[in-house]
Amino acid sequence: MATLLDASPEHVEQDITEAYALVRAYEGDNTLSEDGDPHAEFAALRRRAAVHRSTLERVLTGADSGERTATPVWHVVSFRAAEQVIRDEDTFSSSAYDDSMGRVIGRSFLQMDHREHRTWRNVLQGGFNRQAVLAHREEVRSTVASGLSSIAARGGGDLVADVAFPVALTTIARLAGLPRGTRIGTLYTWAVGLREDPDGRITYGVRELLDTPSAWAPGSLMDLLLRAEDPTIGTGPQLLPVLRLLLSTGTEPPFRSLATLMYAALTDPSVAARLRTDPSLAPAVFQECWRWEPPLTWVFRRCTTDTELAGRMIGRGELVCVNLASANRDDTRWSHADLFDFRREPLPSLAMGTGPHTCLGRHLAAVEAQELLSELISAVGSTWPTGWTLHTDGPAGRGFRSPVRLGVRLGNAWVA
């Protein structure tokens, strides 16, 4: 347990850096993240039909595996059909995650529906509502500013590694209520299965924390769960899966979303120009960014009964893949949907879901994006010298999408 808790600020910072290196090392070995831009493929599918019979292997990789054991799946690509699926938990169950996330973190509210799911949401909402999240606003701003200052001091750096990832991870760690000094990078990579725990020390340390309610910050997410006294939720080590889920979903999609937001803000000159004269436009910028390139391409559901969807008959027990990235570029809903345009008429997208499984972290995502935009625009206008350059290939990936790297060069120095 001491290896988790007894860490100086410098060691915690180093732990976060090592965690990010593990994330990138995994992606380097993972062919699913090496695809370029799959949007042309998704657009072609939308032109043919709203729903397609496919295989999980083709959805995930873009190519058929050729194996007879390929997993059949229904691929939903239009906005209307996608919205119908994720709104209807009676027909399309989140238990589809039993065979994926469930195997890594255990059973959590991600896999639940109806009353069981609402019980968890009702408790967690107390730590995710707008007022609760705004209480962390200054800490978010401070973390963003620290990362940008470090880049300025070194003459350059990577905005993804130095800003986006630390902001997302440290913020969800605070909301969860983890004690300061916890090696949150270690916990995160363990939570998502990137770090093994052969001697069980990580698991033992977290179980001890969960058995010590006073260790968690008052009013934090884990504190609320530990005090819930609801048999549906459980207590102590029974909350291990939900802690892993919070660290996973509170870090992975958010850091990618922040990376794409910085890419959009730094490659579209009109963003900085408009925000300097009217900061109130920030929500329009990050909401359009979420629509244009949601960090998570798809979500999964399991059909509970024979049903019809967009003219296709889906059988009971069949797997359904809802393509959020495709639905959010449906040109029957948005004109010139492939373009990033924060001046377009605002229409809700599916980046944060909808219906009973709307993202609990949507207010947190907005606060992180708001503070990041404010600090970034300020840095570009005052701290960064004229002539700074950005090195990036832009958003990439198939399942998770975001820039792999946002290399900034300030002056003559170059820091990779």
Side-chain angles (χ1 to χ4, degrees):
M1 185 171 179
T3 59
L4 295 177
L5 299 179
D6 296 343
S8 66
E10 293 77 15
H11 287 149
V12 171
E13 185 174 332
Q14 179 61 33
D15 192 52
I16 294 173
T17 299
E18 292 172 359
Y20 183 72
L22 277 178
V23 171
R24 287 309 183 205
Y26 168 77
E27 291 185 343
D29 295 332
N30 181 4
T31 57
L32 301 189
S33 67
E34 294 301 314
D35 277 34
D37 185 350
H39 285 292
E41 174 194 334
F42 299 158
L45 288 173
R46 285 196 307 273
R47 287 192 293 269
R48 287 165 44 201
V51 180
H52 297 264
R53 188 65 166 166
S54 188
T55 66
L56 186 60
E57 291 75 14
R58 178 165 185 77
V59 167
L60 295 180
T61 68
D64 290 316
S65 66
E67 299 289 336
R68 292 185 177 182
T69 56
T71 305
V73 68
W74 290 98
H75 191 185
V76 181
V77 294
S78 77
F79 180 89
R80 186 174 179 181
E83 183 182 41
Q84 180 179 338
V85 170
I86 56 182
R87 279 187 176 276
D88 184 1
E89 66 177 343
D90 290 330
T91 307
F92 300 101
S93 171
S94 293
S95 63
Y97 286 105
D98 287 344
D99 295 330
S100 53
M101 288 286 285
R103 291 185 176 181
V104 177
I105 68 173
R107 191 166 189 270
S108 71
F109 65 90
L110 176 70
Q111 299 142 260
M112 301 173 186
D113 295 302
H114 302 107
R115 181 178 178 181
E116 187 180 24
H117 180 249
R118 288 193 297 273
T119 298
W120 283 85
R121 286 186 70 96
N122 289 342
V123 175
L124 289 168
Q125 191 60 45
F128 271 125
N129 64 45
R130 181 170 174 77
Q131 182 178 359
V133 169
L134 284 174
H136 296 269
R137 182 176 181 179
E138 291 305 317
E139 290 179 301
V140 173
R141 179 182 289 261
S142 176
T143 306
V144 174
S146 176
L148 291 173
S149 294
S150 176
I151 287 175
R154 289 181 285 124
D158 179 6
L159 289 165
V160 184
D162 298 331
V163 179
F165 185 78
V167 167
L169 178 54
T170 58
T171 303
I172 192 58
R174 282 193 295 266
L175 255 70
L178 284 162
R180 292 187 183 276
T182 301
R183 297 180 185 271
I184 55 177
T186 295
L187 285 182
Y188 167 71
T189 49
W190 164 79
V192 299
L194 295 182
R195 187 187 299 266
E196 295 182 358
D197 184 25
D199 55 10
R201 287 191 299 168
I202 299 174
T203 305
Y204 177 78
V206 178
R207 285 180 177 274
E208 276 207 321
L209 272 178
L210 291 171
D211 263 335
T212 311
S214 61
W216 303 89
S220 66
L221 296 170
M222 297 308 297
D223 176 60
L224 292 173
L225 290 170
L226 287 164
R227 291 191 290 106
E229 297 182 350
D230 190 312
T232 299
I233 292 174
T235 189
Q238 293 173 311
L239 298 177
L240 192 58
V242 74
L243 177 60
R244 297 183 75 159
L245 179 67
L246 289 171
L247 288 172
S248 172
T249 58
T251 302
E252 182 87 32
F255 98 75
R256 296 181 184 280
S257 179
L258 293 174
T260 301
L261 179 61
M262 287 190 284
Y263 169 81
L266 294 177
T267 56
D268 184 341
S270 67
V271 173
R274 293 292 299 273
L275 286 178
R276 287 194 187 99
T277 59
D278 187 0
S280 69
L281 290 174
V285 173
F286 59 73
Q287 287 168 13
E288 168 66 357
C289 197
W290 295 344
R291 179 204 68 82
W292 178 62
E293 283 288 9
L296 180 65
T297 304
W298 38 64
V299 296
F300 293 94
R301 296 292 188 266
R302 181 78 65 185
C303 194
T304 62
T305 185
D306 295 349
T307 190
E308 181 181 342
L309 177 68
R312 304 302 297 269
M313 290 303 302
I314 301 178
R316 180 176 182 271
E318 292 188 313
L319 186 62
V320 178
C321 168
V322 180
N323 191 325
L324 303 179
S326 177
N328 281 353
R329 292 201 184 190
D330 191 331
D331 54 14
T332 66
R333 181 172 175 82
W334 292 278
S335 60
H336 306 291
D338 282 334
L339 299 179
F340 170 80
D341 182 5
F342 66 93
R343 291 154 293 198
R344 70 171 70 246
E345 177 186 358
L347 290 172
S349 75
L350 297 180
M352 294 292 171
T354 188
H357 284 268
T358 299
C359 180
L360 271 169
R362 62 193 182 282
H363 297 304
L364 174 60
V367 167
E368 289 175 336
Q370 181 85 43
E371 298 309 314
L372 181 141
L373 272 179
S374 176
E375 290 296 312
L376 181 65
I377 298 304
S378 176
V380 171
S382 60
T383 307
W384 293 7
T386 302
W388 61 268
T389 56
L390 178 68
H391 178 77
T392 180
D393 292 328
R398 189 173 178 88
F400 287 106
R401 281 190 62 76
S402 65
V404 173
R405 183 167 173 267
L406 293 172
V408 176
R409 180 179 180 178
L410 309 177
N412 294 324
W414 175 251
V415 180

